[in-house]
Amino acid sequence: MSATGEHATVLGTVREMPRTVRILVVGNFITSLAAFLNAFLVLFLTHRGFSAFDAGVAFTALMVGRISGTAVGGAVADRIGYRLVIVWSMFGSAVLTALLVHASNLWTAVIVAGLAGLFNQAYRPASQAWVVELTPMNRQVMVFSFLRLTFNLGSTLGPLGAALLLVYASYDVLFYADAGGSLVFGLFALVALKSGSPGESPAGVGGTDGTVAEAVPGGGYRRVLTDGRFVLFIVGLFLTAITYIQVSATLPLFVQSIGHTERLYAVLLAINGFVVIVFEVLLSKWTQKLPIGLPMAVGMALLGVGYLMYLGPTSVGLLALATVVWTFGEVVAAPSMMAYPGIIAPPELRARYIAAATVPQQAGYAVGPMIGVAVWHSWGDFVWVLTGSFGIVAAVLVAVGAGLSRARPADGPDGPDEPEDLAPATTSKGGD
């Protein structure tokens, strides 16, 4: 029996997932499994004879490109369609990542790295918008938890593959493998994804019911930013990102400062990964039944509380408990955070809404380490007061912006109630 009329189970969601969504989930796994550029660009360039400063400049260009790519990808996807953006994003990423192997000077490395970052991220708003368009409202959160699961699995297994390539091959082969992952997804998208012809032009935009609507003039990011409640939400995302990234920035410094070794830090990271991979999809079965603002606000509050707990006694058990608390905050909030922008967006601005929510998170991840380390060196443990408070403030902003009791925007009679592969055939921007 279809789970469409009720809140879907895990197996029911997998079984009835539209073919296009399955392809996007697999593509998400492929790109995260072969995402070596971020982790190894600096090491690669210094290995090739670039100075540490020059390598840092190229890495900065890569990060700027990734943030810009999200914004550009969102705008272009709303104009020309999701499939074209995904295909060209992956092909461009493949070519530019491979070209980095042959960068002979700083300016070439900077330009190519920046463009590689732009193309690498341009597909994400289109991919997430397409998932929203083809997924019934009562499955949105769980499907996005599957996307996060594939990303986390790829990010966990990818470094193991990178280690093998570096031992038995070279940095060149590592980057070619990264390019190969993008190329595989691009070819897969070109061959396996179908799209309606009206959606491949700026003239039409697809709605959640699969129909084509006329584009609304005067749109763009300016229109997104006039949505005051959504702006509160994205400010909350920015503060949450600054808080979350401290697990990589100041937590290792903190662990060593209280007399523990890097082994304990590795254990805390393992706890985080275990909880996310094991519990996130399972918990989404229940969180998807709630008004969407509630799990987001509760999860962000738990993130803040978990970081504040590092101020207490510093035994191994209590450090592990604090890590479990903020990790469950991530597990509870993250799938709803990914689903929310596409759910509440007007169809013609769906990719832009998703990009507008993603860019502040990327910016928070970029500036968060500088903020955390600066506060740590100046005021020590006060970093947990600051970042924990950020999590609490983010929860309040999201509670106000998204609401804690409002029904999901499309839960009513006009919302999508059949998955794309069960509904009557229609033409959409994304298509299937």
Side-chain angles (χ1 to χ4, degrees):
M1 181 176 67
S2 172
T4 304
E6 57 190 20
H7 287 285
T9 63
V10 174
L11 293 179
T13 298
V14 173
R15 185 174 59 251
E16 298 181 356
M17 193 179 290
R19 180 174 60 87
T20 291
V21 175
R22 289 181 182 147
I23 292 171
L24 296 175
V25 169
V26 172
N28 190 58
F29 176 72
I30 292 171
T31 55
S32 60
L33 183 67
F36 305 134
L37 191 58
N38 284 11
F40 293 97
L41 178 61
V42 171
L43 291 175
F44 166 73
L45 291 176
T46 55
H47 177 76
R48 291 287 297 270
F50 289 79
S51 69
F53 177 81
D54 289 350
V57 171
F59 183 78
T60 300
L62 175 68
M63 293 297 101
V64 171
R66 288 171 64 87
I67 295 174
S68 303
T70 301
V72 171
V76 174
D78 280 333
R79 289 181 175 273
I80 70 171
Y82 305 143
R83 175 177 172 270
L84 284 178
V85 171
I86 293 170
V87 170
W88 287 110
S89 171
M90 289 297 95
F91 285 170
S93 177
V95 170
L96 290 159
T97 302
L99 285 177
L100 265 175
V101 174
H102 306 285
S104 58
N105 56 66
L106 174 61
W107 288 112
T108 301
V110 167
I111 293 171
V112 175
L115 290 173
L118 188 151
F119 275 88
N120 183 262
Q121 291 298 297
Y123 87 97
R124 291 196 180 276
S127 176
Q128 292 181 31
W130 210 347
V131 170
V132 171
E133 183 173 307
L134 298 179
T135 305
M137 195 59 54
N138 65 341
R139 303 179 188 177
Q140 294 276 350
V141 171
M142 188 174 291
V143 169
F144 275 101
S145 72
F146 278 115
L147 278 172
R148 276 183 45 86
L149 176 63
T150 55
F151 174 81
N152 287 319
L153 286 174
S155 299
T156 300
L157 298 175
L160 301 178
L164 292 174
L165 288 174
L166 290 176
V167 169
Y168 295 104
S170 65
Y171 279 109
D172 291 6
V173 174
L174 185 71
F175 278 25
Y176 286 139
D178 189 325
S182 297
L183 181 61
V184 167
F185 183 28
L187 290 172
F188 203 22
L190 180 64
V191 173
L193 295 180
K194 294 185 292 183
S195 56
S197 56
E200 293 291 16
S201 70
V205 289
T208 54
D209 60 355
T211 60
V212 176
E214 289 299 318
V216 176
Y221 286 112
R222 182 181 303 175
R223 187 172 160 211
V224 175
L225 296 177
T226 62
D227 185 341
R229 297 181 72 124
F230 186 68
V231 169
L232 291 178
F233 169 74
I234 62 178
V235 173
L237 292 186
F238 176 69
L239 294 177
T240 301
I242 292 175
T243 302
Y244 181 80
I245 199 63
Q246 303 311 317
V247 67
S248 300
T250 54
L251 184 58
L253 300 176
F254 171 70
V255 168
Q256 289 189 322
S257 73
I258 58 178
H260 298 290
T261 67
E262 63 275 7
R263 293 179 183 176
L264 176 60
Y265 174 64
V267 169
L268 297 180
L269 290 182
I271 291 172
N272 169 256
F274 174 81
V275 171
V276 169
I277 290 173
V278 173
F279 290 102
E280 186 164 286
V281 171
L282 296 176
L283 283 179
S284 66
K285 177 182 177 180
W286 287 276
T287 58
Q288 70 181 353
K289 300 176 184 179
L290 303 171
I292 196 164
L294 184 58
M296 292 192 294
V298 169
M300 290 176 181
L302 284 174
L303 177 67
V305 168
Y307 274 52
L308 288 170
M309 288 174 64
Y310 286 135
L311 290 168
T314 56
S315 66
V316 172
L318 290 174
L319 292 174
L321 177 61
T323 303
V324 169
V325 169
W326 67 255
T327 298
F328 268 100
E330 174 188 359
V331 165
V332 169
S336 297
M337 286 164 52
M338 289 185 68
Y340 179 74
I343 288 174
I344 58 99
E348 70 277 3
L349 294 175
R350 184 171 288 123
R352 285 184 176 91
Y353 264 70
I354 291 171
T358 304
V359 167
Q361 292 180 79
Q362 293 173 327
Y365 293 144
V367 303
M370 293 184 289
I371 293 172
V373 172
V375 173
W376 167 256
H377 282 298
S378 299
W379 295 292
D381 290 357
F382 179 76
V383 68
W384 304 123
V385 176
L386 179 66
T387 55
S389 299
F390 279 178
I392 304 297
V393 171
V396 174
L397 291 173
V398 168
V400 175
L404 297 181
S405 60
R406 288 193 303 163
R408 296 165 186 270
D411 274 346
D414 296 329
D417 49 26
E418 288 293 339
E420 177 273 342
D421 55 353
L422 299 178
T426 53
T427 303
S428 75
K429 174 173 61 173
D432 193 14

